[in-house]
Structure formats: structure tokens, C-alpha cells
Amino acid sequence: MKLKGRNKVSPDFSMSSMTDIVFLLLIFFMLTANSPNALDLLLPKAKGKSTNTQNVSVSIDKNLQYYVNNEKINGEYIEIELKKALEGQDKPTIILRAEESVAIKEAVNVMDIANRNSYKVILAVRPN
């Protein structure tokens, strides 16, 4: 008399269901972590590639002097100058060039102006 069954139970563990769960959690956290108050920053790679979306260039030197498209302006009037320069643009974009020694507070000031006016900001970096 044969008492053993034909079907054998396999003790192997399949990782596919665990991978699906981790993937769904990743998507969930990516969707919920998107803050509506975050600045829309496009950071270019530091390989020296140029962009064709440059509308206005804002530069800040080590003496905290502001330049909009290489024209020196007073730091108090930067928002007014940016509004004039980007008026009528479909996708207004600012390229922010700040020297290495400039305090982050000055760069954040320009980013805040861009955020209030729905401008995109590209932070320029030095190529490697």
C-alpha cells in the first residue's frame, strides 16, 4: 500500500511578491512626498552641457553684487527686473550663477522670488 502523496511541497521562497510590495511602497512614498511648496529646481549635470532654455541669467558675485543678463542692478530691485525681463515668456526660466563664496541665503532669495512668480530655476555649476 502506497501512503505517500504525489505532490511534494517545495520549501523554496519566491521573492517576486516581496519585490512587488517594495515597488508599490516606493511609488506610494514618491507620490506622497511631493511637497506643493517645493522649489522647481533643475540641476544640470556638471559635464559642461549647455541648455537652450536660458531666458534670464542672474549672477551673484562675492561682493554680493547682482547682475541680470550681465547688467549690474541693485539687489533690492531684483524681483522687478526679473518680472520685466521674463514678461511674456511661455516657460520663464532663470539660470542662477552664484560664486562659491556667496552665502546660500542670497541664492535662496532669488529662488524664493522665482517660486513666488512661478519661474523655473536652473542652478549653474562648474564643469569637472
Side-chain angles (χ1 to χ4, degrees):
M1 186 173 181
K2 204 172 188 185
L3 295 176
K4 287 188 178 182
R6 291 185 188 172
N7 298 332
K8 288 189 175 183
V9 178
S10 175
D12 296 336
F13 179 73
S14 176
M15 286 293 291
S16 63
S17 61
M18 185 66 74
T19 305
D20 292 343
I21 291 171
V22 170
F23 181 69
L24 289 173
L25 284 173
L26 175 68
I27 291 173
F28 174 74
F29 286 123
M30 285 175 53
L31 292 174
T32 58
N34 190 9
S35 174
N37 295 329
L39 294 174
D40 188 15
L41 296 179
L42 302 172
L43 298 176
K45 293 182 181 178
K47 299 283 184 188
K49 290 187 177 183
S50 62
T51 60
N52 295 330
T53 60
Q54 178 177 356
N55 289 337
V56 172
S57 171
V58 176
S59 303
I60 308 170
D61 68 4
K62 61 185 174 187
N63 299 324
L64 300 181
Q65 296 176 346
Y66 289 84
Y67 298 88
V68 174
N69 289 337
N70 296 326
E71 184 180 326
K72 186 176 176 182
I73 62 163
N74 189 343
E76 297 174 16
Y77 304 113
I78 190 162
E79 186 167 7
I80 297 167
E81 292 294 326
L82 287 174
K83 283 182 179 179
K84 277 197 274 186
L86 293 170
E87 188 177 48
Q89 298 288 335
D90 290 338
K91 295 180 182 177
T93 305
I94 298 170
I95 292 191
L96 178 59
R97 292 184 174 94
E99 279 195 40
E100 203 171 24
S101 60
V102 173
I104 193 72
K105 174 178 82 168
E106 304 301 326
V108 168
N109 182 30
V110 175
M111 290 181 212
D112 187 41
I113 292 170
N115 186 37
R116 282 195 307 258
N117 295 292
S118 300
Y119 302 149
K120 288 191 176 196
V121 178
I122 298 175
L123 182 62
V125 294
R126 179 178 45 206
N128 286 341

